[in-house]
Each structure stands twice: as C-alpha cells, then as structure tokens.
Amino acid sequence: MFPSETSCWFIRKVIWWRAAASIAWSVLLLPPTTAVFVFVSKFSFLHPIQTISECLSLLMSSCLIFSFILLGGVVTMVGFLNLEYYTVIPTIACSKIALLGQLLHPRQVINSFAHCLMGVIVGWCCAVTVGSRYETLGCPCKSSDGVPQMGLNEYHLVFLLAGAFVGFSHSLLGVIHNINYVSFTAVQQYKYLHFKGSLPLVLKCSAIQAFYSIRNFTVAYFFLGYIPKTWICKTLNLHLDSSVHRLDSITGFVDLSLLYHLWISATFLLFTWYTTLLLFRIFVTEVYSFPVQPTFTEDSRQCLPRVLTDQQPMILKFLALQDLALLSKHSPSRRSEVFSLSQPGGHPHNWNAVSRECLALLADLTQRLVAYHETVATNGRAKSLSSGSERKTSSDTSFSSGTEDLMSPRPTFLTKTPTSVFARSFAGGPHSPLTAPFTPDLDSPFSSPTLRRLTGPVDQCSPWHGSVQSPHIMRRAPKLWSTSAESQVSSSPPRSPASVPSPKQEPTKPSFLAQFLQNRKEQLPEASSQALFADSQAHIWALEALSYLVQASFTEDQFGVVQTTLPSILSSMLHLQEAVDRHFKLPHASSKPVRSANSMEDFTYKTLRFALRATLKTAIYRITTTFGSHLNAVQMSAEHRKRLQQFLEFKE
Amino acid sequence: MCSLALFPPPLPPGQTTLCESNNELLCGTNNSEARQDSSALSLHFPRESLKLHSRTESSSKAAFLDHSETLWMRSAAAWRDGGFTGLLNEITTSHAEVPKWLSVTSGCILALLRWVSSFHGSLYPHVTLSSEDMIAEFSQLLNWSDCVVRAFAWHPHTDKFAVALLDDSIKIYNPKSAITPTLKHRLQRNVAAVQWKPLCASVLAVACQNCLLVWNVDPCSLSTRPSSGCAQVLSHPGHSPVTSIAWSPSGSLLVSASPLDTSMMVWDVAAESCVPLQRVGGGGVTFLSWSPDGSHILASTPSALFRVWETRMWTCERWPCIKGCCQSGCWSPDGSRLLFTVQGEMVIYALTFSGSPGVPPGLVKGPQVAVVVADLSETTFNSPDGDIIVGGEIQSLSWDPRGERLAVLLKGDPGAANRPAIIAVFKTRSNPVFELLPCGFVQGEPGAEPRLLQFHPNFQHGALLTVCWSSGKITHIPFYFLTSGISQVGLSGSLPLPHLQERPADFSNQSLFTELIS
C-alpha cells in the first residue's frame, strides 16, 4: 500500500492521529449541535417555557440517545471518507467531459452512495427527533371500506428521501467544487481560534446550501415522488391513505411547517458534515515541525532535508515545505542548522539538499510553463475558440494528427479510470494518483519527469512511460486535451518530422462519438491555467524558503554555503519570472475567477497563480534589496543581469 | 516632568523651519530661498485647484430616478442598497401600497432594530457617527475632513510617493520621471490611508470608505491615467469604512481595520482572500501599525483598549487604557519598543518587547506595564510677540527608520490663536539605553497648520520628515546627522553639507528620559 517506509511512519504517526483527533472532536461536538437542533425544531413562540421543558425531556429520552449513536457513526464515517478522499492538489477538470468522467468514476459513485446512505440515516434521526407526525414510517389508517390497516406516513418518507437527496447533492457538489481539496492558509492560527473563527461561515454555508438543496428536492419530489412511494408501499405492504392529501401535489408542499423542518434538518445534516470537514482540514494542515538535523542516525529519514526529497505522500512533502518556509522566516536557530556543515567532512549537506529540492521544484514549474506556452503559441488562440468542425476542411493531412488527438485519450481513459480519479494523495502502488482522465495536469506526459516524481510513482502500464523525456512527446502531449489541435499542423507545416511521430496513425475519419467527445472536450476558460498551477502552493513555499534563507544568509551564514548556490537560485527565479510573465499574457490567464462567499468550497486553488506571481516578485526583491549592488559580482547571463538591474532599480 | 520646557523656544511668526544641521534646527524667513535638494518634491495643492464633488450620490439619485417604479423594484433596490434595514424602511414608508399588517410589522421590526442599535451606540458611541465623521475621528490626520491632502505615503524603497487629495484622486510623484499618474476609481471615496507594498515596485493599497483598493501602478508605464482595471477591489461585508491599513514588512499580507467591524482582516492580496481575526470587545479596530521587524501589530480600538498582535500564531495581548482610546503609535526600527499615545492624555507611553523575533511566542514575556517616556503637557514660551502655549493632546507619532528622531504632532487648540498645532521633534537613542532628548519645534508658514507627518523610509543623510500642511503644501524637512551605529563608508563621499562634524550636543545633559532613571 505504501510506497516507502518513510511515508508509512508519517501517515501512521501523524496523519492518522490528526484525523482521529478531528473525528473525535466532531463527535464531541454532536451533542451540543443536536441540542440546538432540537430546540430550534421544537421552538414555539406561544409556549416558550413548555418548549424548553419538552426539549429537555426529549434530550434525555432513550430514542435520542440511540440517534446520538447513529449520528456518531455517521460523523465517524464522514471523517473516514474525508481522510480517504482528501487531496492537497486539486483535481481540476479542464472540460465538461472531464468533469463528467469525475462524477461517474467508480470511486466517486461509491462516495455518493455512501453519502446518500448516511443522509438517509441522518434524515431518520431528524424525523425521530422532530417527532409528532414525522416519527414513524407506518401509521394506522382506515381503508376505503373502513378496515383498519397500516398506512404509509408520507411525512416520514419525505424526511428520509430529503436526507438522501441532500447527501447525494453534497457529494456531487463536492466534486464540482473540489471540496476534498485541503488548502494551507497563509495565516497560522491556533486550532481552537481557527475553528472558532470559521464556525459562523460554516453555519451560514450550511443554511444556504440546505435551502437550495431542499428547493431542488421539492421539485424532484413533486415530479418523481410517486416512484419511491409506490415502491416502499409494495415492499413493506403498506397502504396509501387516501384520506390525507398527497405530498407530491401543489397543496401538499405548501406546508410551511414541513418545509421549515426539512430545511432545519438539512442544515443540521450539512452543518455536522461541514464541521467534520473543517476540523479535518484544520488538523491536517497544522504545522508539523521536522528536525533539521537528526539526533540519532535511525531518525535520519524523519529529518527535514530527507523528507523534502520524498515524493510520496504529497501531504508529507507539503508539510515539510511549509515547515521549511516557516523556519526560514521565523527561526534563526533552525536556520543556523540549515547553514551548518556536516561534522566529519565539513559539507553543507542540509543546505544542499534543501536548495536542490527547492530549485528542482522551480525548474519543474518553469519547464511546465514553457511547454504549455509552446503548445499554445503554435495553436494560437484558436485553441479555445474553434469547435473543431469548421477547420476540418483546411487540409486533409491534418486529420491524422487530429484523430490521434481524439483517439489517444480513450485508451488512457479506459486503463486509468479505475484508479485515477480521486485516488488519495498518498495512495501508491502501481496506480498513479492525482489524475483525472482528461485533466491536463499531472499524469499527462506533458508534465515533466520531475513532476511525476513529485506526484507519485510512474504508472508502469502507461504507454508514455520511459519516453517522457523525449522532446516530441513533450510537444505532442498537450494535444490530449486541446480542442483544435488539428489546425496546428496545417498552420505550421515546417515542423520537424520528429515532432509528429505518431505511433498509431490511423487515417480514418473521426467517428460520431469522437466528434461528440471532441465538442464536449472544449476547454473551460482558464481551467487549463488553473490546472497548470494546481500544486503551486509547493512552489510558493519553495520561493519563500529560498528567499528568506538567502536573506538570512547575508548575516547568518558563517561558512558561505549559500554563496555557492546564489547564482543558480537567482537564475532559476528569473527564468521562472520570465515564464510566468509570458503565461500571464495569454488570454484567460489573468482573468479573476468568480467567487461566492456562501460555500465551503476552497477558492485558494483558483488564485494560486496570482499568489505565485506575487510571491515570486517579492522573493526576487527580497534578495535584491538584501544584497544590493553586491549582486553585480554574481555570475549570470547578460539577459538576466539586465532583468536583475530592473529589480535593483525597482522598475518591475 | 514636563518635557517641553527643555525645548528651544518656538520660532517667531514668519519664520519656517528648514532643516536640522549641526545639531540645531535652522530656520529661514522666506521659503523660496535656501531650499535643499528636496525642493523638487515640495508640492502645493491649492484648495481652489481641486474639483470637488458638489453633491453626493444619494442626493443626485433623488434628482434623476423617477419614483414610479413598482413596489417590487423599489424593494429590490432598497435591499441592494440598504440591506435589511433599507428594505424595512422602504416597506414602512410605502404603506399605501403594501398590506397594512406588513407595513406595521416592518415598522415594529425597524423600531426594535433602532432600539437595539441605540443600545449598542450607547455602549460604543462611535457607531452612531456617519462614516465620514468616523474616518475623521480615527484618522491619523489632524482635522481630516478639512484636509486638502488626505493621505500620504512614501514608497519604502525608492523616492516616489503617493498623495491622496480631497477630490478622491491619488497622484504619484517620482523625481525620476516627469509622468504623474493620477489614480481615480468609482469606489475610491474618502481615502483614509494609502500605503505602498514593501518589496514591490508598483503595488499601492488604498483604504476607502467602502472597500480596499489595491492599485498596480506600473513604474515603466507612460500612462497618466491608469485605468480602473489596474485596481483590485477587496471588500468584505460589514468591513467599512476602512480607516487604517498596514502591509507586513515582508510584503506578503495586508491587514485592514474598520471602526465598525470587530474583526481585523488579514488579506492575502494576490489571492484576494481574507482571514477575519475577531476579538469581541472594543467595538472595532481603528488604527494599525505593523512593527518594522514584522513580529507585532498594534491594533487600537475605539474604546479604552488596544491590542498587540503577535504575527506568528496571531494571538493578541489586551492592553486596557485608563482614559481614552489609543490615538497613535509607532514602533522602533528593531520592533522591540512601541511608543503610543492615548486620547485625553498628554503623555507618550512606551512598551518594550524583549523577545527576539525567533523565539517561539510562548516564551516571549511581554511587558507588564507601560512606562511614561515623555510628558507633553502645556508649556508657555514667552516671546516678544506674546506668549505661545505649546503642548496638549497628541495627534500622531512618527519615528524615523533609523530610530534617531521622533516627530510628534500636537493638536493644539484651533480656537485659541496662541495655541497652534505644532510638531515637536525628539532625538532618540536606543543603544545602550533608550533615551529621549529634545530637538526642537518644526513650524511652517504663518497660518499653515501641520496636518500629517511621515518620515522618508530611506534617507541617506539622516532623516527626512515630510509634512502636509493645511494650506495644501507638502514640504520636506531634512535632519542631517550621522548615525553612530552605521558604518560611514558609503556616506562620507556623497554628503552635500560641509559642516557635518558632530558637535557635542547642548542638550545632552538635559536628557528627558532614559531607561536608567525610570
């Protein structure tokens, strides 16, 4: 299961404990939440005292204690699903069909089903808690000829179905909004204060989300409600009471008390789940302090320079980078350990490991941006504009590469689908995690080898394996998800023959299905840009860590270990700056995403590219203001020197 | 312990302070001559030159919008403009069109809300102020609503600065370029503060009445009117008016404060996301100041309480004051010492933070009590033209980036002619012990009142104090001195002044405050 022993210790000793603590806290928070729910659902303005006494007696009843146990089980389950499905790198669907692929993925279907089931359980608990007419599924009624028999209590059924519906839509919206993405905040706070500060937002989100879910449920039940109703009646041998009017009618749903109770219950359901999610996010992203120097040799694999180079699990790498950024900012004593020399030998192993890893991250991003820019430049802006069909006439030869574009994703899709989407970030083994069938991000061959190393073990069965580094694959790969790649050959015929080495050229016309797929594969605006920067939190930390360490080295670095790497640090930052600048000149790249405050969706991943751009500039300025004119002594290319001069003069 | 008595007497009328050199303040009669090299940046904004808004938006709305819209439209508009109370107001006022029970109900709810808010207002009187009055009340500027220059900010690394004017525009002056970009934006109204982002060439944050604007002014651009597309709008419901902003010295975060919002917002500007840091009590946050080493933030509230946040884990210390709210504060360059003043008191307090920035927050022992370092109670100076009374309440403090000069803006009394607002400058020394020595008063042309002061962040020959006057002038007063702590190698070659040999100070035996005697 686990790729290496190191991740094993980390997952076992840290992540599981953190998840367990978060689940324990969510279970502990259940009683007060339930008490509030009971009070709100029972409150009546006319008899306030009576309400309170009723609530108190209800809270003591055995029925509610049983509900507690059930709810505790549900919350624990939600916590486990969070642990199972969380990711630190969001999966960004670049096209509608990719999104559909995510939704229909078996892993996701299981998730939705589990949420549905848990929704039913919470719905039952709510119905029992609210009591009165909602309490049981069966109720005595009289048939038309006056014989007493068991009838169906439609109110109870509505509660169960509403629970299922809300759970299902929660899970679907979770995919669309990347709710399983765990982001790291720039502001470190103690867990309690962080939780307290986020609680009002969670309450607001769950109330609003519950409102929309119940609205949709009402519509769905109005049209389709008879199906589950007749089914339940048949299987449980219950009878429909003809004397009470049916709920899936206009008059049936204009029942304000029922709607209010449904809304309150849905809010309760979403609130408990969101709280669990929030606690999980807070606990998992808490800063973990890795030792820079191992005290004992057997601990060496737990120390920072070693952990940084680990590729799996991602959470470990992210926490290590976060710790590195923080130590470079705040802690002189730990910085001195980074700058220190090894005792026998006098080598700056710590600094070398840290700087090498950070530089590799930056170089990887630069490479990715350059590769992306190349494909876009050859495709031009048509990439996101043409729908594919009108350009077909331009040249027949273009079909070959066009079809290849169409066909190639499908085998990939078939082979990878079972494991790829939503594979949790630390899943290892033969599967490649963190990928979606059509997302351009990590698993596409377009991503560099460094990135693959970063994201996980290389998929052995992938046809791209082994040839990733060859330039033509790098070139061709983005066509996997571009829409009008066929036009590129016709528009730029003199491309080197090596650039179109189609291993399976089929001169067939695209089938109808392929064309349909092609149309659905149309890029969502700016999604490709988001996907490109999906894991940029790591780069941001790397930039911060490097710049702060370099700044501190001006006064703290006694042995001059940073001096040797300064030219490469500067040049890699300037390279990245160039690539980022070029990227932001593309259409859509600088458009701001729309955000709404009323959702638990974490928007951080949508703006990571802006954060990266700002951090990069600040990082370069931090170095130039610290060293000033001393930088003239650093060796670098003329172009970079010119660029650096602009930074020294504050003209960037 | 009256500190001002030891000061050299104020200048006779007609004389203006030009600079400090050779340990004394030089003055001149006419400001057009004997100007130093900074004269190119001295600006004058006559009040008449500014095109002011003749009417506010709400009054023009009544003139143009015809009121024959349906009730639904009006309700929607009221909901959009005035929120829940606006909606209730609309329903209550249009009682002819709505059912009686609805208008009565909304009237009752409205009355209830007003009662609750009046109760809230009795706890925190500032919530009843209009937002302009509130900005004026809590601004660092003296008499903000009447100022031609409403905010001023030096760029932390270069010689350019931004000036916010009464007509809600912001101009950016750069001695190296002839272009003066003017920033205007629909939302840029009642600017209370501007600040440049550190470690960046182009980003300027502006605290406006309803939001925060973050301008990106490309220094290489030739445009004189950057479009409003260059500005990011950062807003959060309930977070207005913004009266104070502060960038972290590392340039990564921006904090903003509003007197009506109990939470202080920490913005990640690039991502446009914010983290509200809420602490109940105080009723809002009025003034923010980030220590130069980035480890602490001073956040004062409208009531007699201020907080000092520690920026690593974002926890805070509460500092209740006895008399009024904390009016102003400034940090020593190493971030170890905070000077602050309290409304209604005529003294400057100091707090010392011993913890070095690297020590984990749990181990840092904060100070236990604030120490009075200067007493600025009223002092009468006799002059041939009559007595001048100097002293009183303090409007703002500013400490130069080397920690050698402290400028204090004294409010004075606008009613009395012999009690002008004046700037008192102290010499300060923090090594080996913290000391305050008198330096002198800075005065402008007759009739001009100092409104705002700020030190240049990296003036090579000492300190450069920029003062905005009530006449619309901005002048720069250099204080030439040599810093004992800084190596003089780079400086000695470029000094323009011949007579810079440090003379033993006359006032050195008149030390106002040292840590040893306190």
Side-chain angles (χ1 to χ4, degrees):
Chain A
M1 183 73 208
F2 300 110
S4 72
E5 240 185 305
T6 323
S7 52
C8 196
W9 76 262
F10 192 73
I11 297 297
R12 221 181 34 232
K13 284 193 184 160
V14 183
I15 298 297
W16 283 1
W17 280 111
R18 288 182 171 190
S22 76
I23 293 173
W25 276 110
S26 353
V27 171
L28 281 181
L29 279 172
L30 262 184
T33 322
T34 317
V36 171
F37 168 66
V38 166
F39 184 74
V40 170
S41 64
K42 295 245 168 197
F43 189 77
S44 93
F45 274 108
L46 301 177
H47 314 284
I49 312 275
Q50 197 190 340
T51 316
I52 293 170
S53 63
E54 246 178 55
C55 289
L56 286 180
S57 65
L58 180 64
L59 282 174
M60 299 298 155
S61 67
S62 60
C63 164
L64 205 75
I65 288 169
F66 182 62
S67 297
F68 266 143
I69 295 169
L70 276 183
L71 286 174
V74 166
V75 163
T76 315
M77 191 61 206
V78 169
F80 272 116
L81 286 176
N82 285 338
L83 175 64
E84 187 71 17
Y85 282 77
Y86 84 99
T87 166
V88 286
I89 301 175
T91 327
I92 294 163
C94 279
S95 55
K96 284 171 191 156
I97 198 150
L99 194 60
L100 195 67
Q102 286 185 14
L103 289 177
L104 297 179
H105 191 276
R107 246 176 97 82
Q108 176 52 34
V109 170
I110 291 173
N111 188 13
S112 304
F113 181 73
H115 276 97
C116 242
L117 203 66
M118 292 187 298
V120 172
I121 295 173
V122 179
W124 183 84
C125 292
C126 291
V128 168
T129 314
V130 176
S132 66
R133 57 178 178 169
Y134 308 109
E135 200 156 353
T136 51
L137 187 59
C139 63
C141 69
K142 286 203 170 74
S143 63
S144 49
D145 48 355
V147 183
Q149 55 186 9
M150 258 339 232
L152 173 73
N153 182 4
E154 205 177 346
Y155 292 106
H156 188 83
L157 180 67
V158 163
F159 257 78
L160 298 187
L161 289 177
F165 185 86
V166 173
F168 184 67
S169 61
H170 168 79
S171 125
L172 281 195
L173 284 176
V175 178
I176 294 167
H177 292 158
N178 257 318
I179 213 164
N180 58 342
Y181 165 58
V182 172
S183 75
F184 293 79
T185 53
V187 174
Q188 311 293 326
Q189 287 184 77
Y190 287 108
K191 290 195 288 280
Y192 166 69
L193 294 172
H194 191 173
F195 178 72
K196 202 181 78 175
S198 317
L199 209 53
L201 181 72
V202 170
L203 190 61
K204 193 173 129 194
C205 288
S206 40
I208 290 172
Q209 193 56 51
F211 177 79
Y212 286 120
S213 295
I214 290 302
R215 182 197 66 185
N216 296 345
F217 169 73
T218 318
V219 174
Y221 189 78
F222 182 75
F223 288 110
L224 304 170
Y226 67 94
I227 302 173
K229 205 160 64 180
T230 43
W231 181 71
I232 291 271
C233 283
K234 266 193 188 151
T235 43
L236 296 183
N237 199 16
L238 296 171
H239 299 271
L240 277 177
D241 195 350
S242 48
S243 58
V244 269
H245 55 245
R246 297 144 46 106
L247 282 180
D248 54 346
S249 61
I250 303 277
T251 47
F253 259 117
V254 190
D255 181 349
L256 282 182
S257 144
L258 173 67
L259 288 180
Y260 172 73
H261 281 130
L262 277 180
W263 176 65
I264 288 288
S265 308
T267 310
F268 171 69
L269 179 149
L270 287 176
F271 182 75
T272 49
W273 292 5
Y274 282 153
T275 321
T276 317
L277 180 68
L278 175 72
L279 281 166
F280 179 77
R281 283 182 184 170
I282 291 175
F283 271 84
V284 157
T285 57
E286 200 196 352
V287 179
Y288 185 86
S289 181
F290 296 90
V292 179
Q293 295 254 24
T295 326
F296 304 105
T297 40
E298 56 264 33
D299 294 342
S300 67
R301 63 193 164 82
Q302 300 183 8
C303 68
L304 189 61
R306 175 72 192 280
V307 160
L308 272 180
T309 51
D310 279 331
Q311 303 314 321
Q312 283 295 321
M314 278 317 282
I315 183 80
L316 174 60
K317 180 154 188 117
F318 270 59
L319 284 172
L321 279 166
Q322 185 188 29
D323 186 40
L324 179 68
L326 287 176
L327 87 86
S328 66
K329 225 181 281 185
H330 295 302
S331 168
S333 58
R334 295 182 70 200
R335 274 199 301 256
S336 70
E337 285 181 53
V338 174
F339 295 141
S340 68
L341 301 181
S342 65
Q343 208 28 272
H347 295 286
H349 288 308
N350 290 338
W351 166 251
N352 282 348
V354 164
S355 63
R356 196 185 315 120
E357 187 55 35
C358 291
L359 287 178
L361 277 172
L362 299 188
D364 156 55
L365 181 64
T366 316
Q367 206 179 352
R368 230 191 298 172
L369 287 175
V370 168
Y372 178 80
H373 198 89
E374 262 174 32
T375 54
V376 175
T378 47
N379 285 355
R381 295 184 58 166
K383 189 169 81 71
S384 53
L385 296 177
S386 82
S387 56
S389 53
E390 69 248 36
R391 295 193 173 228
K392 289 268 159 66
T393 51
S394 58
S395 117
D396 270 337
T397 54
S398 66
F399 276 122
S400 55
S401 66
T403 33
E404 181 203 323
D405 288 335
L406 297 176
M407 305 312 283
S408 50
R410 291 174 66 203
T412 337
F413 176 66
L414 291 175
T415 53
K416 287 190 185 160
T417 308
T419 57
S420 57
V421 177
F422 284 143
R424 59 176 165 183
S425 53
F426 55 84
H431 316 312
S432 66
L434 292 166
T435 48
F438 294 102
T439 48
D441 50 358
L442 302 167
D443 203 51
S444 76
F446 155 48
S447 64
S448 68
T450 335
L451 181 72
R452 297 178 135 250
R453 207 157 33 78
L454 190 146
T455 51
V458 175
D459 193 348
Q460 299 293 333
C461 38
S462 153
W464 313 111
H465 178 60
S467 62
V468 197
Q469 290 160 8
S470 70
H472 58 265
I473 296 286
M474 298 281 292
R475 284 272 185 82
R476 195 192 43 170
K479 281 188 264 160
L480 281 177
W481 43 268
S482 71
T483 46
S484 65
E486 65 269 44
S487 66
Q488 77 184 22
V489 178
S490 54
S491 59
S492 59
R495 280 179 67 163
S496 65
S499 67
V500 225
S502 34
K504 38 181 175 141
Q505 249 181 8
E506 299 147 291
T508 52
K509 285 210 155 203
S511 65
F512 170 74
L513 180 66
Q515 267 196 8
F516 175 77
L517 280 179
Q518 174 82 349
N519 290 341
R520 288 298 81 115
K521 271 162 61 188
E522 210 164 298
Q523 294 268 305
L524 297 171
E526 76 163 280
S528 57
S529 192
Q530 275 175 25
L532 210 52
F533 288 91
D535 59 341
S536 280
Q537 187 63 58
H539 305 113
I540 290 173
W541 281 325
L543 282 168
E544 283 187 353
L546 278 181
S547 65
Y548 276 109
L549 285 174
V550 168
Q551 184 186 31
S553 77
F554 191 67
T555 50
E556 291 174 15
D557 179 16
Q558 298 166 350
F559 308 107
V561 295
V562 177
Q563 307 263 319
T564 51
T565 16
L566 190 56
S568 55
I569 290 175
L570 275 173
S571 74
S572 76
M573 281 188 180
L574 289 170
H575 264 305
L576 183 57
Q577 168 78 16
E578 234 166 74
V580 168
D581 273 359
R582 265 172 71 193
H583 181 80
F584 272 91
K585 292 205 173 93
L586 297 176
H588 295 309
S590 50
S591 61
K592 300 267 176 186
V594 192
R595 54 175 65 229
S596 73
N598 301 327
S599 138
M600 277 297 280
E601 181 185 1
D602 206 319
F603 287 93
T604 327
Y605 69 91
K606 292 191 174 174
T607 48
L608 270 179
R609 58 184 187 279
F610 302 105
L612 180 96
R613 180 173 62 166
T615 314
L616 177 60
K617 244 181 201 176
T618 311
I620 300 177
Y621 271 121
R622 188 169 291 131
I623 296 176
T624 54
T625 47
T626 311
F627 284 85
S629 54
H630 298 297
L631 286 179
N632 292 329
V634 177
Q635 284 189 345
M636 63 178 81
S637 68
E639 198 181 322
H640 280 171
R641 185 165 301 287
K642 212 169 128 194
R643 198 75 200 257
L644 205 62
Q645 194 57 38
Q646 295 220 306
F647 275 97
L648 281 167
E649 289 168 5
F650 282 92
K651 283 194 174 160
E652 268 299 319
Chain B
M1 166 182 152
C2 180
S3 312
L4 290 177
L6 298 175
F7 269 63
L11 302 172
Q15 301 243 315
T16 54
T17 314
L18 293 182
C19 67
E20 184 205 289
S21 170
N22 237 353
N23 239 342
E24 57 188 346
L25 290 177
L26 302 182
C27 59
T29 44
N30 194 347
N31 61 342
S32 63
E33 66 182 45
R35 265 294 150 101
Q36 306 296 325
D37 52 345
S38 58
S39 64
L41 284 175
S42 295
L43 298 169
H44 188 200
F45 300 102
R47 190 173 294 261
E48 304 76 44
S49 70
L50 300 176
K51 247 196 262 172
L52 300 181
H53 303 296
S54 50
R55 64 169 80 86
T56 59
E57 256 178 39
S58 54
S59 66
S60 63
K61 180 180 161 190
F64 287 110
L65 238 102
D66 72 301
H67 278 253
S68 61
E69 290 176 15
T70 63
L71 178 68
W72 285 112
M73 296 287 283
R74 271 185 289 138
S75 302
W79 169 262
R80 203 183 52 233
D81 295 342
F84 185 59
T85 42
L87 180 65
L88 288 180
N89 230 335
E90 183 64 45
I91 293 174
T92 318
T93 47
S94 54
H95 48 80
E97 292 165 74
V98 293
K100 192 163 190 308
W101 62 269
L102 189 59
S103 67
V104 169
T105 319
S106 63
C108 289
I109 297 173
L110 204 58
L112 193 71
L113 281 178
R114 283 198 183 127
W115 182 76
V116 170
S117 72
S118 74
F119 179 69
H120 187 211
S122 68
L123 276 181
Y124 300 114
H126 71 275
V127 300
T128 55
L129 297 174
S130 76
S131 54
E132 285 199 32
D133 291 342
M134 202 172 323
I135 297 172
E137 170 78 20
F138 297 115
S139 168
Q140 289 295 295
L141 269 76
L142 184 60
N143 203 353
W144 175 86
S145 42
D146 183 43
C147 280
V148 179
V149 175
R150 291 204 144 166
F152 179 92
W154 278 106
H155 190 273
H157 307 285
T158 57
D159 276 339
K160 67 180 169 187
F161 58 83
V163 183
L165 298 172
L166 186 58
D167 61 351
D168 293 336
S169 67
I170 292 179
K171 287 182 192 290
I172 293 167
Y173 290 90
N174 189 345
K176 287 182 191 150
S177 105
I179 300 162
T180 315
T182 306
L183 311 178
K184 284 189 182 177
H185 196 279
R186 189 171 48 86
L187 295 169
Q188 188 171 291
R189 281 185 290 144
N190 293 329
V191 176
V194 292
Q195 199 178 12
W196 291 93
K197 178 179 176 178
L199 295 179
C200 185
S202 55
V203 175
L204 176 74
V206 181
C208 309
Q209 184 174 325
N210 293 321
C211 63
L212 275 169
L213 287 177
V214 180
W215 286 93
N216 196 341
V217 191
D218 186 0
C220 301
S221 160
L222 297 175
S223 148
T224 52
R225 273 295 300 272
S227 78
S228 52
C230 299
Q232 276 174 281
V233 180
L234 305 178
S235 64
H236 193 266
H239 194 69
S240 72
V242 184
T243 54
S244 188
I245 47 175
W247 282 99
S248 73
S250 64
S252 52
L253 298 172
L254 173 72
V255 290
S256 69
S258 163
L260 287 186
D261 193 355
T262 47
S263 45
M264 176 173 97
M265 297 288 160
V266 184
W267 295 91
D268 184 349
V269 172
E272 295 190 10
S273 62
C274 73
V275 178
L277 295 175
Q278 188 161 32
R279 292 291 182 276
V280 189
V285 184
T286 56
F287 172 70
L288 295 169
S289 171
W290 208 309
S291 74
D293 68 338
S295 60
H296 292 92
I297 299 177
L298 164 74
S300 62
T301 68
S303 47
L305 168 79
F306 68 92
R307 296 191 176 86
V308 178
W309 289 83
E310 155 287 307
T311 59
R312 182 132 184 231
M313 292 306 283
W314 294 94
T315 53
C316 65
E317 287 172 11
R318 276 167 57 101
W319 283 91
C321 309
I322 298 167
K323 252 188 163 166
C325 68
C326 172
Q327 165 67 30
S328 179
C330 60
W331 293 87
S332 68
D334 60 351
S336 65
R337 192 165 280 112
L338 168 69
L339 300 186
F340 67 93
T341 64
V342 171
Q343 260 181 12
E345 291 191 49
M346 303 176 187
V347 293
I348 302 176
Y349 291 99
L351 283 177
T352 313
F353 295 85
S354 53
S356 62
V359 182
L363 300 179
V364 178
K365 279 305 272 185
Q368 298 306 309
V369 70
V371 186
V372 176
V373 292
D375 181 1
L376 302 180
S377 50
E378 291 167 2
T379 310
T380 311
F381 288 96
N382 299 315
S383 69
D385 308 322
D387 293 352
I388 291 183
I389 302 172
V390 173
E393 279 193 49
I394 296 152
Q395 177 69 27
S396 67
L397 296 173
S398 183
W399 208 337
D400 90 299
R402 297 188 187 191
E404 304 249 350
R405 294 290 180 276
L406 172 73
V408 180
L409 176 54
L410 296 164
K411 273 181 187 167
D413 184 0
N418 62 347
R419 288 190 57 193
I422 201 167
I423 299 169
V425 179
F426 293 88
K427 290 175 193 166
T428 55
R429 193 182 294 164
S430 45
N431 269 327
V433 287
F434 178 57
E435 281 185 315
L436 270 184
L437 305 163
C439 179
F441 296 111
V442 171
Q443 284 163 286
E445 296 166 34
E449 198 178 42
R451 288 286 164 84
L452 170 69
L453 39 86
Q454 191 173 38
F455 276 105
H456 189 288
N458 43 16
F459 185 61
Q460 297 215 330
H461 316 304
L464 181 69
L465 179 68
T466 303
V467 185
C468 304
W469 303 92
S470 57
S471 57
K473 279 198 173 172
I474 297 175
T475 60
H476 308 279
I477 297 138
F479 294 78
Y480 295 104
F481 57 84
L482 293 178
T483 313
S484 47
I486 294 180
S487 70
Q488 317 276 310
V489 185
L491 287 174
S492 55
S494 60
L495 284 182
L497 288 188
H499 47 280
L500 254 172
Q501 62 276 23
E502 192 99 29
R503 196 174 65 180
D506 296 333
F507 303 108
S508 58
N509 52 350
Q510 300 176 0
S511 170
L512 294 174
F513 173 83
T514 70
E515 265 179 350
L516 293 179
I517 60 168
S518 66

